[in-house]
PDB file of all heavy atoms in Angstrom:
ATOM      1  N   LEU Y 601     -50.125  27.009  47.980  1.00 54.00           N
ATOM      2  CA  LEU Y 601     -50.627  26.563  49.270  1.00 54.00           C
ATOM      3  C   LEU Y 601     -52.147  26.437  49.217  1.00 54.00           C
ATOM      4  O   LEU Y 601     -52.815  27.142  48.471  1.00 54.00           O
ATOM      5  CB  LEU Y 601     -50.238  27.581  50.357  1.00 54.00           C
ATOM      6  CG  LEU Y 601     -48.751  27.732  50.641  1.00 54.00           C
ATOM      7  CD1 LEU Y 601     -48.530  28.824  51.669  1.00 54.00           C
ATOM      8  CD2 LEU Y 601     -48.163  26.429  51.137  1.00 54.00           C
ATOM      9  N   LYS Y 602     -52.659  25.522  50.007  1.00 64.00           N
ATOM     10  CA  LYS Y 602     -54.101  25.358  50.095  1.00 64.00           C
ATOM     11  C   LYS Y 602     -54.705  26.623  50.679  1.00 64.00           C
ATOM     12  O   LYS Y 602     -54.190  27.195  51.640  1.00 64.00           O
ATOM     13  CB  LYS Y 602     -54.418  24.155  50.987  1.00 64.00           C
ATOM     14  CG  LYS Y 602     -55.904  23.863  51.097  1.00 64.00           C
ATOM     15  CD  LYS Y 602     -56.135  22.648  51.975  1.00 64.00           C
ATOM     16  CE  LYS Y 602     -57.622  22.371  52.130  1.00 64.00           C
ATOM     17  NZ  LYS Y 602     -57.867  21.193  53.005  1.00 64.00           N
ATOM     18  N   LYS Y 603     -55.805  27.065  50.084  1.00 78.00           N
ATOM     19  CA  LYS Y 603     -56.443  28.287  50.529  1.00 78.00           C
ATOM     20  C   LYS Y 603     -56.943  28.117  51.960  1.00 78.00           C
ATOM     21  O   LYS Y 603     -57.637  27.148  52.283  1.00 78.00           O
ATOM     22  CB  LYS Y 603     -57.601  28.645  49.605  1.00 78.00           C
ATOM     23  CG  LYS Y 603     -58.258  29.978  49.945  1.00 78.00           C
ATOM     24  CD  LYS Y 603     -59.341  30.320  48.949  1.00 78.00           C
ATOM     25  CE  LYS Y 603     -59.998  31.656  49.282  1.00 78.00           C
ATOM     26  NZ  LYS Y 603     -61.067  31.999  48.312  1.00 78.00           N
ATOM     27  N   LEU Y 604     -56.598  29.065  52.815  1.00 84.00           N
ATOM     28  CA  LEU Y 604     -57.022  28.991  54.208  1.00 84.00           C
ATOM     29  C   LEU Y 604     -58.480  29.396  54.338  1.00 84.00           C
ATOM     30  O   LEU Y 604     -58.970  30.281  53.630  1.00 84.00           O
ATOM     31  CB  LEU Y 604     -56.161  29.899  55.080  1.00 84.00           C
ATOM     32  CG  LEU Y 604     -54.687  29.524  55.244  1.00 84.00           C
ATOM     33  CD1 LEU Y 604     -53.977  30.551  56.110  1.00 84.00           C
ATOM     34  CD2 LEU Y 604     -54.540  28.135  55.856  1.00 84.00           C
ATOM     35  N   SER Y 605     -59.169  28.760  55.257  1.00 87.00           N
ATOM     36  CA  SER Y 605     -60.563  29.110  55.526  1.00 87.00           C
ATOM     37  C   SER Y 605     -60.623  30.469  56.220  1.00 87.00           C
ATOM     38  O   SER Y 605     -59.621  30.975  56.738  1.00 87.00           O
ATOM     39  CB  SER Y 605     -61.205  28.045  56.413  1.00 87.00           C
ATOM     40  OG  SER Y 605     -60.598  28.051  57.701  1.00 87.00           O
ATOM     41  N   ARG Y 606     -61.810  31.045  56.238  1.00 87.00           N
ATOM     42  CA  ARG Y 606     -61.988  32.332  56.915  1.00 87.00           C
ATOM     43  C   ARG Y 606     -61.660  32.204  58.393  1.00 87.00           C
ATOM     44  O   ARG Y 606     -61.045  33.095  58.985  1.00 87.00           O
ATOM     45  CB  ARG Y 606     -63.425  32.820  56.739  1.00 87.00           C
ATOM     46  CG  ARG Y 606     -63.702  34.150  57.436  1.00 87.00           C
ATOM     47  CD  ARG Y 606     -65.093  34.665  57.128  1.00 87.00           C
ATOM     48  NE  ARG Y 606     -65.353  35.920  57.828  1.00 87.00           N
ATOM     49  CZ  ARG Y 606     -66.465  36.622  57.697  1.00 87.00           C
ATOM     50  NH1 ARG Y 606     -67.433  36.195  56.881  1.00 87.00           N
ATOM     51  NH2 ARG Y 606     -66.642  37.740  58.375  1.00 87.00           N
ATOM     52  N   ALA Y 607     -62.052  31.079  58.989  1.00 90.00           N
ATOM     53  CA  ALA Y 607     -61.766  30.860  60.411  1.00 90.00           C
ATOM     54  C   ALA Y 607     -60.268  30.832  60.663  1.00 90.00           C
ATOM     55  O   ALA Y 607     -59.773  31.415  61.637  1.00 90.00           O
ATOM     56  CB  ALA Y 607     -62.409  29.551  60.869  1.00 90.00           C
ATOM     57  N   ALA Y 608     -59.517  30.151  59.774  1.00 91.00           N
ATOM     58  CA  ALA Y 608     -58.065  30.062  59.933  1.00 91.00           C
ATOM     59  C   ALA Y 608     -57.419  31.437  59.812  1.00 91.00           C
ATOM     60  O   ALA Y 608     -56.487  31.769  60.553  1.00 91.00           O
ATOM     61  CB  ALA Y 608     -57.479  29.106  58.906  1.00 91.00           C
ATOM     62  N   LEU Y 609     -57.908  32.237  58.866  1.00 90.00           N
ATOM     63  CA  LEU Y 609     -57.366  33.590  58.693  1.00 90.00           C
ATOM     64  C   LEU Y 609     -57.653  34.452  59.914  1.00 90.00           C
ATOM     65  O   LEU Y 609     -56.806  35.242  60.344  1.00 90.00           O
ATOM     66  CB  LEU Y 609     -57.963  34.237  57.436  1.00 90.00           C
ATOM     67  CG  LEU Y 609     -57.494  33.641  56.097  1.00 90.00           C
ATOM     68  CD1 LEU Y 609     -58.282  34.256  54.951  1.00 90.00           C
ATOM     69  CD2 LEU Y 609     -56.009  33.859  55.900  1.00 90.00           C
ATOM     70  N   GLU Y 610     -58.853  34.305  60.472  1.00 90.00           N
ATOM     71  CA  GLU Y 610     -59.202  35.068  61.677  1.00 90.00           C
ATOM     72  C   GLU Y 610     -58.289  34.683  62.836  1.00 90.00           C
ATOM     73  O   GLU Y 610     -57.770  35.551  63.553  1.00 90.00           O
ATOM     74  CB  GLU Y 610     -60.661  34.814  62.050  1.00 90.00           C
ATOM     75  CG  GLU Y 610     -61.674  35.458  61.110  1.00 90.00           C
ATOM     76  CD  GLU Y 610     -63.098  35.113  61.501  1.00 90.00           C
ATOM     77  OE1 GLU Y 610     -63.284  34.334  62.476  1.00 90.00           O
ATOM     78  OE2 GLU Y 610     -64.037  35.616  60.843  1.00 90.00           O
ATOM     79  N   VAL Y 611     -58.096  33.377  63.008  1.00 92.00           N
ATOM     80  CA  VAL Y 611     -57.245  32.892  64.100  1.00 92.00           C
ATOM     81  C   VAL Y 611     -55.808  33.361  63.904  1.00 92.00           C
ATOM     82  O   VAL Y 611     -55.143  33.796  64.854  1.00 92.00           O
ATOM     83  CB  VAL Y 611     -57.309  31.350  64.185  1.00 92.00           C
ATOM     84  CG1 VAL Y 611     -56.253  30.823  65.151  1.00 92.00           C
ATOM     85  CG2 VAL Y 611     -58.695  30.900  64.626  1.00 92.00           C
ATOM     86  N   LEU Y 612     -55.312  33.292  62.665  1.00 93.00           N
ATOM     87  CA  LEU Y 612     -53.950  33.734  62.370  1.00 93.00           C
ATOM     88  C   LEU Y 612     -53.781  35.216  62.698  1.00 93.00           C
ATOM     89  O   LEU Y 612     -52.774  35.624  63.292  1.00 93.00           O
ATOM     90  CB  LEU Y 612     -53.626  33.479  60.900  1.00 93.00           C
ATOM     91  CG  LEU Y 612     -52.236  33.929  60.425  1.00 93.00           C
ATOM     92  CD1 LEU Y 612     -51.135  33.186  61.173  1.00 93.00           C
ATOM     93  CD2 LEU Y 612     -52.088  33.707  58.919  1.00 93.00           C
ATOM     94  N   ALA Y 613     -54.762  36.024  62.317  1.00 90.00           N
ATOM     95  CA  ALA Y 613     -54.686  37.462  62.577  1.00 90.00           C
ATOM     96  C   ALA Y 613     -54.688  37.742  64.077  1.00 90.00           C
ATOM     97  O   ALA Y 613     -53.925  38.590  64.569  1.00 90.00           O
ATOM     98  CB  ALA Y 613     -55.864  38.180  61.903  1.00 90.00           C
ATOM     99  N   ILE Y 614     -55.524  37.024  64.826  1.00 91.00           N
ATOM    100  CA  ILE Y 614     -55.593  37.236  66.271  1.00 91.00           C
ATOM    101  C   ILE Y 614     -54.281  36.853  66.929  1.00 91.00           C
ATOM    102  O   ILE Y 614     -53.763  37.568  67.794  1.00 91.00           O
ATOM    103  CB  ILE Y 614     -56.768  36.431  66.877  1.00 91.00           C
ATOM    104  CG1 ILE Y 614     -58.098  37.022  66.401  1.00 91.00           C
ATOM    105  CG2 ILE Y 614     -56.701  36.452  68.403  1.00 91.00           C
ATOM    106  CD1 ILE Y 614     -59.302  36.184  66.762  1.00 91.00           C
ATOM    107  N   ILE Y 615     -53.719  35.711  66.516  1.00 92.00           N
ATOM    108  CA  ILE Y 615     -52.435  35.284  67.088  1.00 92.00           C
ATOM    109  C   ILE Y 615     -51.346  36.300  66.766  1.00 92.00           C
ATOM    110  O   ILE Y 615     -50.521  36.652  67.615  1.00 92.00           O
ATOM    111  CB  ILE Y 615     -52.044  33.887  66.560  1.00 92.00           C
ATOM    112  CG1 ILE Y 615     -53.002  32.831  67.108  1.00 92.00           C
ATOM    113  CG2 ILE Y 615     -50.600  33.547  66.946  1.00 92.00           C
ATOM    114  CD1 ILE Y 615     -52.769  31.437  66.567  1.00 92.00           C
ATOM    115  N   ALA Y 616     -51.339  36.794  65.518  1.00 91.00           N
ATOM    116  CA  ALA Y 616     -50.300  37.736  65.098  1.00 91.00           C
ATOM    117  C   ALA Y 616     -50.336  39.010  65.926  1.00 91.00           C
ATOM    118  O   ALA Y 616     -49.291  39.511  66.370  1.00 91.00           O
ATOM    119  CB  ALA Y 616     -50.475  38.069  63.611  1.00 91.00           C
ATOM    120  N   TYR Y 617     -51.522  39.551  66.156  1.00 91.00           N
ATOM    121  CA  TYR Y 617     -51.636  40.836  66.854  1.00 91.00           C
ATOM    122  C   TYR Y 617     -51.666  40.704  68.376  1.00 91.00           C
ATOM    123  O   TYR Y 617     -51.299  41.642  69.082  1.00 91.00           O
ATOM    124  CB  TYR Y 617     -52.893  41.569  66.395  1.00 91.00           C
ATOM    125  CG  TYR Y 617     -52.744  42.270  65.061  1.00 91.00           C
ATOM    126  CD1 TYR Y 617     -53.181  41.677  63.883  1.00 91.00           C
ATOM    127  CD2 TYR Y 617     -52.147  43.526  64.974  1.00 91.00           C
ATOM    128  CE1 TYR Y 617     -53.041  42.305  62.654  1.00 91.00           C
ATOM    129  CE2 TYR Y 617     -52.002  44.174  63.763  1.00 91.00           C
ATOM    130  CZ  TYR Y 617     -52.452  43.551  62.597  1.00 91.00           C
ATOM    131  OH  TYR Y 617     -52.299  44.191  61.390  1.00 91.00           O
ATOM    132  N   HIS Y 618     -52.127  39.556  68.887  1.00 90.00           N
ATOM    133  CA  HIS Y 618     -52.302  39.420  70.336  1.00 90.00           C
ATOM    134  C   HIS Y 618     -51.269  38.502  70.988  1.00 90.00           C
ATOM    135  O   HIS Y 618     -51.342  38.269  72.187  1.00 90.00           O
ATOM    136  CB  HIS Y 618     -53.704  38.883  70.645  1.00 90.00           C
ATOM    137  CG  HIS Y 618     -54.801  39.838  70.323  1.00 90.00           C
ATOM    138  ND1 HIS Y 618     -55.386  40.676  71.258  1.00 90.00           N
ATOM    139  CD2 HIS Y 618     -55.429  40.103  69.151  1.00 90.00           C
ATOM    140  CE1 HIS Y 618     -56.327  41.398  70.687  1.00 90.00           C
ATOM    141  NE2 HIS Y 618     -56.380  41.073  69.406  1.00 90.00           N
ATOM    142  N   GLN Y 619     -50.325  37.965  70.222  1.00 90.00           N
ATOM    143  CA  GLN Y 619     -49.365  37.017  70.796  1.00 90.00           C
ATOM    144  C   GLN Y 619     -48.567  37.646  71.934  1.00 90.00           C
ATOM    145  O   GLN Y 619     -48.252  38.849  71.881  1.00 90.00           O
ATOM    146  CB  GLN Y 619     -48.431  36.499  69.699  1.00 90.00           C
ATOM    147  CG  GLN Y 619     -47.605  37.569  68.992  1.00 90.00           C
ATOM    148  CD  GLN Y 619     -46.803  36.985  67.851  1.00 90.00           C
ATOM    149  OE1 GLN Y 619     -46.042  36.047  68.021  1.00 90.00           O
ATOM    150  NE2 GLN Y 619     -46.989  37.537  66.649  1.00 90.00           N
ATOM    151  N   PRO Y 620     -48.257  36.817  72.953  1.00 91.00           N
ATOM    152  CA  PRO Y 620     -48.648  35.422  73.129  1.00 91.00           C
ATOM    153  C   PRO Y 620     -50.110  35.310  73.570  1.00 91.00           C
ATOM    154  O   PRO Y 620     -50.571  36.096  74.401  1.00 91.00           O
ATOM    155  CB  PRO Y 620     -47.708  34.943  74.236  1.00 91.00           C
ATOM    156  CG  PRO Y 620     -47.415  36.183  75.020  1.00 91.00           C
ATOM    157  CD  PRO Y 620     -47.392  37.301  74.034  1.00 91.00           C
ATOM    158  N   VAL Y 621     -50.837  34.334  73.006  1.00 92.00           N
ATOM    159  CA  VAL Y 621     -52.262  34.213  73.268  1.00 92.00           C
ATOM    160  C   VAL Y 621     -52.620  32.743  73.447  1.00 92.00           C
ATOM    161  O   VAL Y 621     -52.035  31.875  72.805  1.00 92.00           O
ATOM    162  CB  VAL Y 621     -53.082  34.841  72.107  1.00 92.00           C
ATOM    163  CG1 VAL Y 621     -52.812  34.129  70.799  1.00 92.00           C
ATOM    164  CG2 VAL Y 621     -54.561  34.870  72.411  1.00 92.00           C
ATOM    165  N   THR Y 622     -53.567  32.461  74.349  1.00 93.00           N
ATOM    166  CA  THR Y 622     -54.014  31.092  74.582  1.00 93.00           C
ATOM    167  C   THR Y 622     -55.250  30.800  73.738  1.00 93.00           C
ATOM    168  O   THR Y 622     -55.875  31.710  73.189  1.00 93.00           O
ATOM    169  CB  THR Y 622     -54.357  30.861  76.061  1.00 93.00           C
ATOM    170  OG1 THR Y 622     -55.506  31.656  76.400  1.00 93.00           O
ATOM    171  CG2 THR Y 622     -53.189  31.250  76.964  1.00 93.00           C
ATOM    172  N   ARG Y 623     -55.620  29.532  73.675  1.00 93.00           N
ATOM    173  CA  ARG Y 623     -56.804  29.151  72.903  1.00 93.00           C
ATOM    174  C   ARG Y 623     -58.067  29.782  73.489  1.00 93.00           C
ATOM    175  O   ARG Y 623     -58.938  30.246  72.747  1.00 93.00           O
ATOM    176  CB  ARG Y 623     -56.935  27.629  72.878  1.00 93.00           C
ATOM    177  CG  ARG Y 623     -58.104  27.122  72.036  1.00 93.00           C
ATOM    178  CD  ARG Y 623     -58.024  25.616  71.892  1.00 93.00           C
ATOM    179  NE  ARG Y 623     -59.190  25.072  71.224  1.00 93.00           N
ATOM    180  CZ  ARG Y 623     -59.356  23.790  70.928  1.00 93.00           C
ATOM    181  NH1 ARG Y 623     -58.395  22.931  71.238  1.00 93.00           N
ATOM    182  NH2 ARG Y 623     -60.447  23.369  70.330  1.00 93.00           N
ATOM    183  N   ALA Y 624     -58.150  29.839  74.820  1.00 93.00           N
ATOM    184  CA  ALA Y 624     -59.310  30.452  75.474  1.00 93.00           C
ATOM    185  C   ALA Y 624     -59.399  31.937  75.133  1.00 93.00           C
ATOM    186  O   ALA Y 624     -60.489  32.473  74.903  1.00 93.00           O
ATOM    187  CB  ALA Y 624     -59.225  30.250  76.978  1.00 93.00           C
ATOM    188  N   GLU Y 625     -58.245  32.603  75.106  1.00 93.00           N
ATOM    189  CA  GLU Y 625     -58.227  34.029  74.757  1.00 93.00           C
ATOM    190  C   GLU Y 625     -58.623  34.234  73.299  1.00 93.00           C
ATOM    191  O   GLU Y 625     -59.305  35.212  72.963  1.00 93.00           O
ATOM    192  CB  GLU Y 625     -56.833  34.599  75.034  1.00 93.00           C
ATOM    193  CG  GLU Y 625     -56.504  34.658  76.517  1.00 93.00           C
ATOM    194  CD  GLU Y 625     -55.021  34.881  76.793  1.00 93.00           C
ATOM    195  OE1 GLU Y 625     -54.200  34.733  75.849  1.00 93.00           O
ATOM    196  OE2 GLU Y 625     -54.685  35.196  77.953  1.00 93.00           O
ATOM    197  N   LEU Y 626     -58.192  33.305  72.422  1.00 92.00           N
ATOM    198  CA  LEU Y 626     -58.583  33.348  71.015  1.00 92.00           C
ATOM    199  C   LEU Y 626     -60.103  33.302  70.884  1.00 92.00           C
ATOM    200  O   LEU Y 626     -60.717  34.097  70.164  1.00 92.00           O
ATOM    201  CB  LEU Y 626     -57.999  32.143  70.266  1.00 92.00           C
ATOM    202  CG  LEU Y 626     -56.582  32.240  69.700  1.00 92.00           C
ATOM    203  CD1 LEU Y 626     -56.133  30.865  69.230  1.00 92.00           C
ATOM    204  CD2 LEU Y 626     -56.547  33.215  68.551  1.00 92.00           C
ATOM    205  N   GLU Y 627     -60.695  32.344  71.595  1.00 92.00           N
ATOM    206  CA  GLU Y 627     -62.140  32.160  71.506  1.00 92.00           C
ATOM    207  C   GLU Y 627     -62.887  33.343  72.100  1.00 92.00           C
ATOM    208  O   GLU Y 627     -63.961  33.718  71.613  1.00 92.00           O
ATOM    209  CB  GLU Y 627     -62.519  30.854  72.198  1.00 92.00           C
ATOM    210  CG  GLU Y 627     -61.951  29.627  71.482  1.00 92.00           C
ATOM    211  CD  GLU Y 627     -62.208  28.322  72.222  1.00 92.00           C
ATOM    212  OE1 GLU Y 627     -62.567  28.396  73.420  1.00 92.00           O
ATOM    213  OE2 GLU Y 627     -62.046  27.255  71.612  1.00 92.00           O
ATOM    214  N   ASP Y 628     -62.320  33.943  73.129  1.00 92.00           N
ATOM    215  CA  ASP Y 628     -62.958  35.110  73.742  1.00 92.00           C
ATOM    216  C   ASP Y 628     -62.960  36.287  72.768  1.00 92.00           C
ATOM    217  O   ASP Y 628     -63.942  37.031  72.667  1.00 92.00           O
ATOM    218  CB  ASP Y 628     -62.208  35.492  75.028  1.00 92.00           C
ATOM    219  CG  ASP Y 628     -62.886  36.646  75.754  1.00 92.00           C
ATOM    220  OD1 ASP Y 628     -64.080  36.535  76.054  1.00 92.00           O
ATOM    221  OD2 ASP Y 628     -62.195  37.656  76.003  1.00 92.00           O
ATOM    222  N   ILE Y 629     -61.878  36.461  72.024  1.00 90.00           N
ATOM    223  CA  ILE Y 629     -61.781  37.556  71.055  1.00 90.00           C
ATOM    224  C   ILE Y 629     -62.694  37.304  69.858  1.00 90.00           C
ATOM    225  O   ILE Y 629     -63.397  38.209  69.388  1.00 90.00           O
ATOM    226  CB  ILE Y 629     -60.319  37.727  70.578  1.00 90.00           C
ATOM    227  CG1 ILE Y 629     -59.430  38.181  71.746  1.00 90.00           C
ATOM    228  CG2 ILE Y 629     -60.230  38.737  69.433  1.00 90.00           C
ATOM    229  CD1 ILE Y 629     -57.944  38.147  71.452  1.00 90.00           C
ATOM    230  N   ARG Y 630     -62.707  36.068  69.349  1.00 90.00           N
ATOM    231  CA  ARG Y 630     -63.534  35.732  68.183  1.00 90.00           C
ATOM    232  C   ARG Y 630     -65.008  35.631  68.542  1.00 90.00           C
ATOM    233  O   ARG Y 630     -65.879  35.857  67.702  1.00 90.00           O
ATOM    234  CB  ARG Y 630     -63.092  34.397  67.572  1.00 90.00           C
ATOM    235  CG  ARG Y 630     -61.749  34.417  66.877  1.00 90.00           C
ATOM    236  CD  ARG Y 630     -61.530  33.096  66.144  1.00 90.00           C
ATOM    237  NE  ARG Y 630     -62.456  32.956  65.030  1.00 90.00           N
ATOM    238  CZ  ARG Y 630     -62.946  31.787  64.618  1.00 90.00           C
ATOM    239  NH1 ARG Y 630     -62.644  30.667  65.248  1.00 90.00           N
ATOM    240  NH2 ARG Y 630     -63.761  31.741  63.580  1.00 90.00           N
ATOM    241  N   GLY Y 631     -65.283  35.234  69.780  1.00 89.00           N
ATOM    242  CA  GLY Y 631     -66.675  35.070  70.192  1.00 89.00           C
ATOM    243  C   GLY Y 631     -67.251  33.725  69.818  1.00 89.00           C
ATOM    244  O   GLY Y 631     -68.447  33.479  70.002  1.00 89.00           O
ATOM    245  N   VAL Y 632     -66.439  32.837  69.271  1.00 90.00           N
ATOM    246  CA  VAL Y 632     -66.871  31.487  68.909  1.00 90.00           C
ATOM    247  C   VAL Y 632     -65.781  30.499  69.284  1.00 90.00           C
ATOM    248  O   VAL Y 632     -64.621  30.871  69.482  1.00 90.00           O
ATOM    249  CB  VAL Y 632     -67.189  31.364  67.398  1.00 90.00           C
ATOM    250  CG1 VAL Y 632     -68.366  32.231  67.013  1.00 90.00           C
ATOM    251  CG2 VAL Y 632     -65.961  31.721  66.562  1.00 90.00           C
ATOM    252  N   GLU Y 633     -66.159  29.228  69.345  1.00 90.00           N
ATOM    253  CA  GLU Y 633     -65.186  28.185  69.670  1.00 90.00           C
ATOM    254  C   GLU Y 633     -64.231  27.969  68.497  1.00 90.00           C
ATOM    255  O   GLU Y 633     -64.635  28.037  67.334  1.00 90.00           O
ATOM    256  CB  GLU Y 633     -65.921  26.881  69.988  1.00 90.00           C
ATOM    257  CG  GLU Y 633     -64.997  25.764  70.425  1.00 90.00           C
ATOM    258  CD  GLU Y 633     -65.764  24.502  70.788  1.00 90.00           C
ATOM    259  OE1 GLU Y 633     -67.006  24.579  70.881  1.00 90.00           O
ATOM    260  OE2 GLU Y 633     -65.122  23.452  70.960  1.00 90.00           O
ATOM    261  N   THR Y 634     -62.969  27.757  68.801  1.00 88.00           N
ATOM    262  CA  THR Y 634     -61.960  27.510  67.776  1.00 88.00           C
ATOM    263  C   THR Y 634     -61.621  26.028  67.753  1.00 88.00           C
ATOM    264  O   THR Y 634     -61.204  25.469  68.769  1.00 88.00           O
ATOM    265  CB  THR Y 634     -60.679  28.327  68.052  1.00 88.00           C
ATOM    266  OG1 THR Y 634     -61.003  29.717  68.047  1.00 88.00           O
ATOM    267  CG2 THR Y 634     -59.629  28.055  66.994  1.00 88.00           C
ATOM    268  N   SER Y 635     -61.798  25.402  66.605  1.00 86.00           N
ATOM    269  CA  SER Y 635     -61.546  23.963  66.510  1.00 86.00           C
ATOM    270  C   SER Y 635     -60.050  23.675  66.502  1.00 86.00           C
ATOM    271  O   SER Y 635     -59.246  24.495  66.051  1.00 86.00           O
ATOM    272  CB  SER Y 635     -62.189  23.395  65.246  1.00 86.00           C
ATOM    273  OG  SER Y 635     -61.496  23.835  64.097  1.00 86.00           O
ATOM    274  N   LYS Y 636     -59.700  22.502  66.977  1.00 86.00           N
ATOM    275  CA  LYS Y 636     -58.301  22.087  66.972  1.00 86.00           C
ATOM    276  C   LYS Y 636     -57.791  21.962  65.539  1.00 86.00           C
ATOM    277  O   LYS Y 636     -56.623  22.226  65.253  1.00 86.00           O
ATOM    278  CB  LYS Y 636     -58.147  20.753  67.699  1.00 86.00           C
ATOM    279  CG  LYS Y 636     -56.704  20.274  67.806  1.00 86.00           C
ATOM    280  CD  LYS Y 636     -56.613  18.981  68.592  1.00 86.00           C
ATOM    281  CE  LYS Y 636     -55.164  18.522  68.739  1.00 86.00           C
ATOM    282  NZ  LYS Y 636     -54.524  18.258  67.434  1.00 86.00           N
ATOM    283  N   GLY Y 637     -58.707  21.586  64.619  1.00 89.00           N
ATOM    284  CA  GLY Y 637     -58.311  21.443  63.222  1.00 89.00           C
ATOM    285  C   GLY Y 637     -57.811  22.742  62.627  1.00 89.00           C
ATOM    286  O   GLY Y 637     -56.870  22.750  61.823  1.00 89.00           O
TER     287      GLY Y 637
END
């Protein structure tokens, strides 16, 4: 598999532990905007 970026790993971890979670909640936890990509 293509190596995931650090941002993707962070988002994956947040979704895994905080699910169900919205994009706004993701960004609030990370403290930065999460791209659609």
Side-chain angles (χ1 to χ4, degrees):
L601 295 177
K602 182 179 178 181
K603 184 177 180 180
L604 293 179
S605 66
R606 179 174 179 177
L609 290 173
E610 288 177 358
V611 170
L612 178 62
I614 292 171
I615 292 176
Y617 281 97
H618 292 263
Q619 60 185 305
V621 61
T622 66
R623 183 171 174 178
E625 292 165 346
L626 274 170
E627 295 175 345
D628 184 55
I629 294 170
R630 290 188 68 212
V632 295
E633 184 178 350
T634 300
S635 71
K636 183 177 182 299

